[in-house]
Amino acid sequence: MKQYLNKLINQQNLSLAEMKEATNKCFTDSITEAEIASFLTALQAKGETAEEITGMVEVIRSRSSFQTGPVLHAMDNCGTGGDQSYSFNISTTSAFVIAGAGVKIAKHGNRSISSRTGSADVLEHLGVSLSFSKEQVEEMLEENNIAFLFAPHVHAALKPFTQVRKSLGVPTIFNAIGPLTNPVNLETQLIGVYRKELLPLLAEAMHQLGRRRGVVVNGAGNMDEASLAGENHVIVLENGKQQAISLYPEDVGLPTYTMDDIRGGDSKENAEILKGVLHGKKGAYYDTVLLNAGLALFTNGEARTIREGVEAARESIESGAALERLNQLVEYSSKIPSEVL
């Protein structure tokens, strides 16, 4: 580990192979928490590269028993978090709309870290299990187009990093790589980031990880979701090439709202917002989900344009398909023994 620390301290990038070896060492008994902390801090101070992100993600995914083959044709729409917007659970609500539109979505998520309510908090309140097995995840994706993967459950091997991150109390590479560590072998992916400078970096990492197509968005107000508050900065990845575009609400026929219009609350309040949207209750929450689900359907290729994706998202809600995906997931969860995590 010392040789890698020296390289990082001297502002030298690690190759993909070096990053994988360094990350693997962090899972051994020979490495102390102090060395792991130094490794994460040095990476952050130097600035991570796409190769370093890819190397760490590949190791983390390889250590998850939930890693799947490429046959599921699934996508994810998880964001990095960290935008401090305190919005409702946009990507979680959007996931059911995406599934209702016919796309398989392996929703990766966690409890609240930088927001009041994380995806796991709101889904747990709605009656969704946080302890699905790999086989159950695959079954739900096949039968219901949506499954939830609770990060601590599917990444049990990450415990060596958990206490170190808590002790450091500063951003590390983990603040950027969360969505990429989904153990399901994703075909396409939408990632929201709160830092605009991460857009090309995460797009390149998605390419290196084998995504057929991907989109990275930094929303207006630096949200880690697409926002109806103004300009969204977007990078579309296809066949390894990146295209940067700006996306405004009027481009897809949606109104403008302020950030305050989409604020959420605790898990109970956000669960009610989620159900309201899926029941077709119009307003800022509903339109924000149309934008994000529409962008995801465009990412997946289900829609040829973002505007077309927005209309497909609207149909998913108005037909009742999105709500049915939630109801089926809750019903499936009721048959699974609870596990406290």
Side-chain angles (χ1 to χ4, degrees):
M1 179 64 80
K2 187 176 180 181
Q3 62 176 317
Y4 300 133
L5 285 175
N6 284 333
K7 285 192 71 171
L8 295 173
I9 290 169
N10 289 312
Q11 297 293 299
Q12 296 177 30
N13 299 328
L14 301 184
S15 67
L16 179 67
E18 288 174 329
M19 189 63 182
K20 292 175 75 170
E21 184 176 353
T23 304
N24 273 315
K25 284 182 180 296
C26 292
F27 290 96
T28 65
D29 293 336
S30 62
I31 299 297
T32 65
E33 287 190 355
E35 287 176 302
I36 295 176
S38 297
F39 177 55
L40 296 179
T41 304
L43 265 174
Q44 174 72 12
K46 177 187 70 67
E48 301 90 343
T49 65
E51 287 75 18
E52 288 164 346
I53 288 173
T54 301
M56 177 168 275
V57 168
E58 287 185 349
V59 170
I60 290 171
R61 292 185 70 251
S62 71
R63 289 176 176 271
S64 172
S65 61
F66 282 72
Q67 190 168 11
T68 66
V71 295
L72 298 179
H73 304 298
M75 76 171 299
D76 191 9
N77 69 332
C78 179
T80 60
D83 63 11
Q84 299 293 315
S85 68
Y86 303 106
S87 61
F88 75 106
N89 296 91
I90 298 170
S91 64
T92 307
T93 310
S94 300
F96 293 103
V97 180
I98 297 162
V103 172
K104 289 178 171 46
I105 182 152
K107 185 73 182 80
H108 192 231
N110 209 334
R111 294 195 185 277
S112 173
I113 296 175
S114 57
S115 60
R116 286 188 63 183
T117 308
S119 56
D121 300 308
V122 72
L123 290 175
E124 186 178 47
H125 186 86
L126 289 165
V128 175
S129 174
L130 305 185
S131 54
F132 295 120
S133 67
K134 176 184 174 181
E135 292 71 27
Q136 289 165 337
V137 165
E138 293 174 338
E139 183 178 352
M140 283 183 292
L141 284 173
E142 187 62 36
E143 295 183 1
N144 196 42
N145 283 347
I146 186 169
F148 181 64
L149 296 102
F150 181 43
H153 179 61
V154 301
H155 294 299
L158 277 179
K159 288 179 180 177
F161 288 100
T162 304
Q163 188 55 48
V164 171
R165 293 182 65 203
K166 287 181 180 178
S167 299
L168 282 174
V170 296
T172 69
I173 189 173
F174 280 91
N175 293 76
I177 68 171
L180 294 171
T181 62
N182 190 325
V184 172
N185 200 349
L186 304 173
E187 189 173 62
T188 56
Q189 186 166 15
L190 168 64
I191 298 178
V193 298
Y194 71 99
R195 289 166 48 203
K196 184 181 174 183
E197 62 268 25
L198 287 175
L199 290 170
L201 193 65
L202 292 187
E204 175 57 26
M206 275 201 286
H207 169 58
Q208 292 184 15
L209 289 164
R211 306 290 189 263
R212 174 178 61 80
R213 181 176 163 91
V215 167
V216 193
V217 57
N218 171 241
N222 284 321
M223 283 189 65
D224 72 328
E225 313 274 2
S227 168
L228 291 171
E231 182 183 13
N232 297 274
H233 300 281
V234 178
I235 285 185
V236 180
L237 169 75
E238 187 162 22
N239 299 322
K241 295 183 179 179
Q242 298 184 21
Q243 178 186 6
I245 62 173
S246 291
L247 174 65
Y248 294 87
E250 56 267 30
D251 295 336
V252 291
L254 292 172
T256 299
Y257 295 95
T258 69
M259 302 285 282
D260 286 340
D261 290 330
I262 57 168
R263 276 187 172 262
D266 59 20
S267 58
K268 180 180 179 181
E269 292 172 289
N270 282 9
E272 290 303 314
I273 292 171
L274 184 152
K275 288 190 293 183
V277 170
L278 298 190
H279 276 97
K281 183 179 179 180
K282 304 300 189 291
Y285 300 132
Y286 179 95
D287 287 338
T288 298
V289 167
L290 289 185
L291 176 63
N292 281 273
L295 184 58
L297 293 172
F298 166 74
T299 301
N300 177 267
E302 183 71 14
R304 291 172 299 173
T305 66
I306 301 171
R307 182 183 280 265
E308 186 178 292
V310 167
E311 293 312 309
R314 194 189 309 274
E315 172 61 22
S316 174
I317 296 173
E318 298 305 320
S319 68
L323 180 61
E324 181 61 18
R325 301 286 73 76
L326 169 62
N327 291 338
Q328 290 291 334
L329 189 60
V330 172
E331 182 181 346
Y332 193 103
S333 297
S334 68
K335 303 171 186 177
I336 299 173
S338 61
E339 181 179 332
V340 178
L341 288 169

